[in-house]
Amino acid sequence: MAATSAIPTAPLQTSGVEPDAARTRRRKSDRRFRTTGDVVVFVVLCLGALTMLLPLAWMLSTSLKTQQNVFLLPPQWIPSPVEWGNYLRIWEAGPLLTGIVNSSIISLTVITIGTITSCFAAYGFSKMKIPGKNAIFLALLGGIMIPFPALMIPTFMLFSKIGWVDTLLPLIVPGLFGNLMMVFFLRQYLMSVPDSLIEAAVIDGARHPQIFGRIVLPLIRPAIAAQVILWFMGTWNDYLGPIIYLNSENVHTLQLVIANFNATYAVQTDYPLIMAASIVSLLPVLGVFLIFQRQIIESIALTGNKG
């Protein structure tokens, strides 16, 4: 029959090019600029990226200069001589190591436990049948709209009465209960997961902790990664909270130590020292971003597809 004879019995070889090679060539061709508009957009994006990277490049360059070369005209982008000793002096100029340890304690504790709490909360608000959960969720969202300056004095008085001022506890304990923005983001992400998937697992005898660990958690891993990096950056770079609650030098976070560097050494025009300390403070954030880079891009792509 004609229908049977029309079925190909072997892969078609029309051009002598292997399928994988053809796919590779097709991907490369997709990257080519097809119109003048593509070239213009590419140039504009490159200029924007260069503009955003210039302050970071200037900071790195200044951290390797001598004090005399900081304000040379025309500006010296490549230091000569390169002063690596600035990265040794920062450890003796102030309690930088103490700041790193305190910031690490706060960030790692809050992010680790707070992420678990936020995930459970998002799962409960999106997939569990809890009476009044929508009203509770809206009330929590209302809390986000209260600006932090309006809460500074009441929270300071509260923590002062219970003896937590000048300790790391005011910066750690509230974060252990989760992050409202993360709960909101994960809840919206979980709303796209079909309820029938959860109901089928319940019918099969799975309990909610098992459903969360085996079904939900793998699905929301990219969203968690994106929120973790954003939350970590906010916690690591937080300046307002520590300056309100922390007084003693032994509990200062890294941002307070760098602020003290700025107050002390800017008068002496020792900007290379300040920039070297700032570069060191950037490294943990950069490391976390590189670790979670793939998950962050996946999360942004999925969010964009959902509109």
Side-chain angles (χ1 to χ4, degrees):
M1 299 176 65
T4 305
S5 61
I7 299 175
T9 56
L12 296 176
Q13 299 291 335
T14 57
S15 61
V17 179
E18 294 294 330
D20 290 342
R23 280 197 294 272
T24 304
R25 289 178 57 185
R26 188 166 57 249
R27 290 194 197 103
K28 288 181 179 178
S29 65
D30 291 342
R31 298 172 191 161
R32 292 174 185 167
F33 303 114
R34 295 180 177 176
T35 63
T36 307
D38 293 344
V39 177
V40 173
V41 170
F42 178 76
V43 172
V44 170
L45 290 177
C46 288
L47 290 175
L50 184 63
T51 304
M52 287 186 284
L53 287 175
L54 276 179
L56 182 62
W58 180 253
M59 187 167 67
L60 179 61
S61 172
T62 304
S63 71
L64 296 172
K65 292 177 181 176
T66 60
Q67 285 182 249
Q68 294 74 23
N69 291 345
V70 171
F71 297 107
L72 283 181
L73 292 175
Q76 188 182 59
W77 285 94
I78 300 177
S80 178
V82 177
E83 189 62 35
W84 294 103
N86 294 330
Y87 284 90
L88 298 178
R89 289 197 297 129
I90 57 176
W91 305 103
E92 300 173 354
L96 191 68
L97 183 60
T98 302
I100 293 175
V101 171
N102 290 331
S103 292
S104 300
I105 292 172
I106 295 172
S107 300
L108 295 178
T109 307
V110 168
I111 298 301
T112 304
I113 301 178
T115 298
I116 297 172
T117 310
S118 301
C119 291
F120 286 156
Y123 175 72
F125 281 124
S126 61
K127 295 301 176 189
M128 295 182 69
K129 296 180 180 178
I130 303 173
K133 67 176 184 180
N134 291 331
I136 298 173
F137 183 67
L138 288 176
L140 291 175
L141 285 184
I144 301 177
M145 302 174 189
I146 302 175
F148 182 69
L151 302 174
M152 281 194 304
I153 295 177
T155 52
F156 179 83
M157 293 176 64
L158 171 66
F159 291 135
S160 178
K161 284 186 178 179
I162 59 179
W164 284 7
V165 172
D166 208 22
T167 69
L168 300 181
L169 292 176
L171 304 173
I172 293 177
V173 175
L176 303 183
F177 296 97
N179 181 298
L180 284 177
M181 287 305 297
M182 178 182 272
V183 173
F184 173 73
F185 185 82
L186 295 179
R187 177 187 178 273
Q188 299 305 110
Y189 202 90
L190 280 171
M191 295 296 283
S192 63
V193 177
D195 291 340
S196 57
L197 191 65
I198 309 298
E199 292 168 359
V202 171
I203 292 173
D204 289 341
R207 296 183 177 277
H208 283 294
Q210 294 173 312
I211 296 172
F212 179 82
R214 296 183 181 180
I215 299 175
V216 174
L217 188 59
L219 292 175
I220 63 174
R221 192 174 297 164
I224 294 174
Q227 289 299 306
V228 163
I229 179 65
L230 294 176
W231 195 8
F232 178 78
M233 289 172 61
T235 307
W236 184 265
N237 294 323
D238 184 23
Y239 176 73
L240 189 56
I243 201 171
I244 292 172
Y245 301 119
L246 306 179
N247 300 318
S248 303
E249 197 173 75
N250 63 327
V251 292
H252 277 184
T253 61
L254 182 57
Q255 302 307 321
L256 290 185
V257 173
I258 292 177
N260 290 337
F261 272 33
N262 191 36
T264 305
Y265 296 103
V267 178
Q268 305 172 17
T269 66
D270 198 350
Y271 291 104
L273 189 75
I274 300 171
M275 295 302 169
S278 301
I279 289 290
V280 170
S281 72
L282 279 179
L283 295 179
V285 177
L286 183 63
V288 171
F289 176 78
L290 292 177
I291 292 172
F292 293 104
Q293 183 181 15
R294 187 170 61 86
Q295 286 83 357
I296 292 170
I297 293 174
E298 286 179 3
S299 173
I300 294 173
L302 289 174
T303 305
N305 289 336
K306 288 173 185 175

